[in-house]
């Protein structure tokens, strides 16, 4: 094999050579961290300082990186997650040791479930204390990285300053190789704070590996789809993550194939398109339609609990599954499994399939959507439907929205028109509370030119209330809609259904309007009738705002029975 390409590396200019031989004084290991991040293209970092991580935070002062500091590490992780989702770029998350690091775990679990490229860089106790002894250091864990190994894509341990650039580059590449995901690096406090005479980090490269589909599998898949009588498509979050919605639309139109988007795939296919079955995946009518497909193309979804209508989905035809996470291939259903990035594989299929126009497909789609509408209408849930419609009216089309695990969020998964790919996000990947508001802060930090909406219940809101201070400090355009129903509303429903009564679901809570105003954040109490106007007003004003809606909402009836 030729190695000639190594000869193409640029040589240092005389000025660069002089700089390398005489590095500027006053730099530490933390400078190597921020120089490497800058060299790889990072512009914004999230985090929370701690005693062992101060070398990193000191170095931030000497860098051009923007810093957004949140008040709780888990919330900082949610902010980084959202930044990674909306930009498709790596979101660095700077953390301290022990309790600081561990507090980020639930956010990293969500990033892993949703394939968000978060680069967590944590401090570690001094090098002398590493190796499994019990030295009694502040924040000491017997094996800190063991707490993260089951959650993140890869873990990287640094022992010396010279290892920092390579470890960060390897982690960066891991985070951006499909499927995207969180990665973890730990660096001892003495390595971060010790002065270094290493040259300033330049010429960094961390190109993610491409995950190409094998051509013989594309040939079989395209043959199946080209000759299908009733093809259908389930589009998951992988379509959004790989920016493949345009390819998906072109393929669906070429095949005349109806498309259902999963909750993670919201916005992957136009809501009002004649082939759009929208997102009613927890509905027997949708499930029946998909089961009747003779060839079902599943793109960027593992067909997990929600996407399979609580594992009741039993396809009768051939399933073709395109998935970048090899562990999800055929995990729930036998299929022609194609390990590939969604965009790459859809492009291959688009070239390979034979057009098969189906004039009746749009009629079949309209019939299914009509049955879904009739079933929902029979439950007399007009308040809930009007709130979803009102939010859609108030929110500008290009504005991102972030939804917590709350009844209105569950409605939005099924019923909200995302209008653009990669604009609607929730924590349904791992299902933790408190995601919406800190995530909206991360999205606003990525793009301050458009307002961002967060939607929480009063229970979930209490997880994130401290971040009102963050939104105010950085003057971010985030509007937070808090639906106040006096407790954990969805758990109240689950317990009533299962046990006939509730326990631990009723909550004392603050006056959210007064509380927001105490942070210097303007707030308003609204009603279902006034919501659209109040929300539109809040979204139109600069900086953060809070809208509180006292309302008791109900979920639509289970539909997998």
């Amino acid at each position: 094999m030729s190695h000639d390409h190594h000869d193409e590396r640029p040589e240092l200019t005389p000025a660069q050579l002089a700089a390398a031989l005489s590095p500027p004084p006053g730099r530490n290991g933390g400078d190597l961290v921020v120089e490497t991040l800058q060299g790889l293209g990072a512009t914004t970092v999230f985090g929370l300082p701690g005693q062992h991580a101060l070398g990193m935070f000191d170095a931030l002062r000497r860098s051009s990186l923007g810093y957004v500091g949140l008040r709780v590490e888990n919330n900082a992780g949610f902010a980084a997650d959202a930044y990674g989702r909306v930009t498709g770029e790596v979101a660095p998350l700077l953390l301290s040791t022990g309790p600081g690091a561990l507090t980020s775990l639930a956010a990293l679990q969500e990033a892993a479930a949703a394939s968000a490229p978060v680069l967590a860089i944590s401090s570690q106790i001094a090098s002398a204390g590493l190796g499994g002894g019990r030295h009694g250091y502040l924040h000491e864990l017997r094996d800190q990285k063991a707490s993260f190994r089951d959650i993140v894509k890869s873990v990287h341990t640094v022992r010396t300053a010279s290892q920092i650039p390579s470890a960060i580059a390897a982690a960066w590449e891991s985070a951006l190789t499909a499927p995207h995901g969180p990665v973890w690096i730990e660096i001892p406090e003495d390595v971060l704070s010790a002065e270094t005479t290493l040259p300033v980090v330049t010429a960094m490269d961390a190109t993610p590996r491409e995950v190409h589909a094998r051509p013989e599998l594309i040939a079989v898949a395209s043959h199946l789809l080209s000759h299908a009588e009733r093809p259908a498509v389930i589009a998951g979050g992988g379509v959004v993550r790989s920016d493949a919605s345009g390819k998906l639309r072109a393929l669906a139109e070429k095949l005349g194939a109806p498309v259902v988007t999963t909750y993670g795939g919201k916005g992957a296919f136009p809501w009002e398109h004649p082939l759009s079955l929208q997102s009613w995946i927890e509905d027997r009518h949708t499930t029946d339609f998909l089961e009747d497909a003779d060839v079902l193309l599943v793109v960027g979804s593992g067909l997990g609990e929600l996407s399979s209508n609580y594992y009741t989905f039993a396809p009768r035809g051939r399933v073709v599954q395109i998935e970048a996470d090899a562990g999800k291939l055929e995990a729930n259903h036998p299929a022609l499994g194609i390990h590939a990035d969604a965009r790459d594989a859809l492009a291959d299929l688009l070239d390979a399939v034979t057009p098969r126009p189906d004039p009746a497909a749009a009629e079949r789609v309209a019939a299914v959507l009509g049955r879904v509408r009739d079933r929902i209408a029979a439950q007399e849930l007009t308040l809930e439907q009007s709130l979803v419609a009102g939010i859609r009216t108030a929110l500008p089309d290009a504005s991102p929205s972030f939804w917590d695990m709350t009844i209105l969020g569950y409605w939005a998964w099924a019923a909200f028109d995302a209008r653009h790919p990669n604009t609607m996000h929730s924590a349904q990947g791992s299902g933790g509370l408190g995601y919406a508001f800190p995530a909206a802060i991360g999205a606003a930090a990525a793009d301050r030119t458009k307002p961002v909406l967060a939607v929480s219940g009063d229970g979930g809101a209490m997880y994130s209330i401290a971040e009102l201070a963050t939104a105010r400090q950085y003057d971010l355009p985030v509007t937070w809609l808090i639906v106040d129903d006096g407790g954990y509303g969805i758990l109240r429903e689950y317990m009533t259904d299962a046990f006939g009564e509730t326990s631990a679901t009723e909550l004392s809570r603050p006056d959210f309007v007064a509380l927001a105003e105490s942070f210097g954040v303007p707030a308003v109490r609204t009603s279902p009738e006034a919501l659209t106007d109040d929300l539109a007003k809040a979204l139109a004003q600069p900086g953060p705002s809070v809208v509180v809606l006292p309302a008791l909402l109900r979920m639509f009836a289970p539909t997998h029975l």
Side-chain angles (χ1 to χ4, degrees), residues 403-414 424 426 455 553 555:
W403 304 73
D404 222 325
M405 303 299 286
T406 183
I407 288 178
L408 194 55
Y410 290 21
W411 267 95
W413 291 346
M424 181 180 168
S426 74
V455 181
L553 308 183
M555 267 308 288

Side-chain angles (χ1 to χ4, degrees), residues 222-378:
S222 66
H223 179 81
L224 287 169
L225 289 163
S226 298
H227 294 89
E229 289 184 16
R230 298 179 309 284
V233 180
I234 297 177
V239 177
V240 177
R241 289 293 159 271
S242 65
D243 192 21
S245 55
K247 300 262 187 284
L248 172 68
R249 178 177 182 167
L251 181 65
E253 289 173 349
K254 197 169 179 181
L255 293 171
V259 179
V260 176
T261 57
T262 69
Y263 297 157
K266 293 286 292 189
F269 195 73
W271 190 255
E272 301 290 354
H273 191 286
L275 292 172
S276 175
L277 277 164
Q278 302 178 352
S279 306
W280 291 97
I281 54 174
E282 288 182 70
D283 191 286
R284 196 68 233 171
H285 299 305
T286 303
T287 306
D288 288 344
F289 182 90
L290 293 171
E291 286 179 348
D292 187 51
D294 60 340
V295 180
L296 179 69
L297 175 63
V298 181
V299 194
S301 170
L303 292 183
E305 182 176 20
L306 298 178
S307 304
S308 63
N309 203 355
Y310 300 92
Y311 301 113
T312 61
F313 174 53
R316 292 190 290 275
R318 288 292 302 271
V319 178
V320 176
Q321 185 187 14
I322 295 168
E323 176 56 60
D325 184 341
K328 290 181 180 175
L329 283 177
E330 299 191 69
N332 290 312
H333 296 281
L336 175 70
I338 302 177
H339 181 218
D341 178 61
R343 183 186 175 91
D344 195 66
L346 285 170
D348 290 346
L349 279 179
L350 194 54
D351 289 341
V353 297
T354 308
R356 52 163 309 287
D358 182 357
E363 292 170 32
R364 294 205 312 275
V365 166
V368 174
L369 290 177
R371 288 196 289 275
V372 172
R373 261 195 307 274
D374 291 346
R375 192 184 65 77
I376 296 296

